[in-house]
Amino acid sequence: EFVTSELFSISVFTTTTDSGDALILTGTAQPNKNLTLSIKNPDNNIVRFDILEIDDTGEIKYEFPYGESFVNGTYTLTASKEGYQQTSQPDITLGIGVTNTVDVEMAELSTYNIAIYVNLSDEAPISDAITITYSGFAWDGYFYEGSAVLSEGQNPFRILNLYPGQYTIQTDRTDYYPNITTVELVDSNIDLIVDLLRIPTGDIEGYITMGDGSEGFDEVNVIAVSTS
């Protein structure tokens, strides 16, 4: 769900300066908010990636050499900003003396919550031995991650204020198999049920027979390996 939108007006042009040919971006954006820009060439390879620090005037003024990485042709400009839908503008023509004005509209993203309900296979109480971690890329193009340890009786555990995107959630507790789940957060809160299965334990009994028939050994090391 998009609640508001923000319009960036960016002019892209190349010119010749005292230090050689240069690609220049000028325009306006929200003041005091960083803006990430990447430029892909006609072969779909990223030839420039930078984070623009926008000051309180909101003015964009960015310049870099128009060198061997660039050839005349059409390029794609991608703009990313935390909390806004990542937006790409294709078919930007670059060449000496060519000017492009690009209006990039970025929609503000709503945030949602994930409620995680943990069930233990042996019905043990929820305690501070359970750890939940999450990580993933949101629609704004940024990577988010975090972790928390559940307090006693805390069920569900809630991950709050996540932007839409795909997230991997891992739940761990000693003596239980880990649970790893991938969720797609789109336009509503999610209730996630996590089942933790206890790792079986028990005693191993048996007899040791030496292949050469020898007797009277003092010590034998036994290693047990789980195949599950």
Side-chain angles (χ1 to χ4, degrees), residues 7-198:
L7 186 65
F8 300 92
S9 182
I10 302 175
S11 293
V12 183
F13 62 93
T14 52
T15 188
T16 300
T17 67
D18 293 339
S19 57
D21 295 335
L23 182 65
I24 299 176
L25 284 74
T26 62
T28 57
Q30 185 178 1
N32 302 313
K33 297 287 186 179
N34 291 347
L35 182 66
T36 301
L37 292 179
S38 65
I39 298 176
K40 289 185 178 180
N41 64 14
D43 295 325
N44 205 36
N45 297 318
I46 295 178
V47 293
R48 195 72 184 185
F49 177 90
D50 269 304
I51 299 176
L52 281 60
E53 296 183 359
I54 311 300
D55 62 18
D56 55 5
T57 67
E59 180 183 5
I60 298 175
K61 183 64 182 295
Y62 181 64
E63 177 180 332
F64 56 90
Y66 187 77
E68 296 179 355
S69 299
F70 292 89
V71 295
N72 293 345
T74 57
Y75 287 72
T76 299
L77 175 70
T78 299
S80 303
K81 179 184 175 184
E82 184 175 350
Y84 286 78
Q85 174 74 52
Q86 186 181 67
T87 304
S88 294
Q89 180 68 43
D91 302 327
I92 298 175
T93 302
L94 295 185
I96 300 300
V98 177
T99 299
N100 297 265
T101 299
V102 182
D103 292 327
V104 181
E105 186 171 9
M106 303 176 70
E108 186 176 5
L109 297 170
S110 297
T111 59
Y112 301 99
N113 307 324
I114 300 177
I116 302 173
Y117 296 82
V118 180
N119 295 324
L120 302 180
S121 61
D122 56 357
E123 299 183 354
I126 301 299
S127 69
D128 58 5
I130 297 177
T131 301
I132 294 178
T133 60
Y134 71 91
S135 62
F137 282 94
W139 290 357
D140 59 6
Y142 289 85
F143 183 79
Y144 297 92
E145 60 183 343
S147 63
V149 177
L150 271 64
S151 59
E152 184 172 354
Q154 184 182 14
N155 199 18
F157 171 77
R158 301 183 191 276
I159 305 174
L160 304 177
N161 301 321
L162 286 177
Y163 295 117
Q166 186 176 82
Y167 297 92
T168 298
I169 298 173
Q170 179 165 333
T171 308
D172 295 281
R173 184 179 180 181
T174 302
D175 298 330
Y176 291 77
Y177 293 109
N179 181 289
I180 301 176
T181 305
T182 299
V183 298
E184 191 79 28
L185 194 61
V186 180
D187 57 4
S188 62
N189 298 328
I190 290 179
D191 290 339
L192 177 65
I193 298 176
V194 172
D195 295 316
L196 291 185
L197 179 64
R198 189 174 182 88

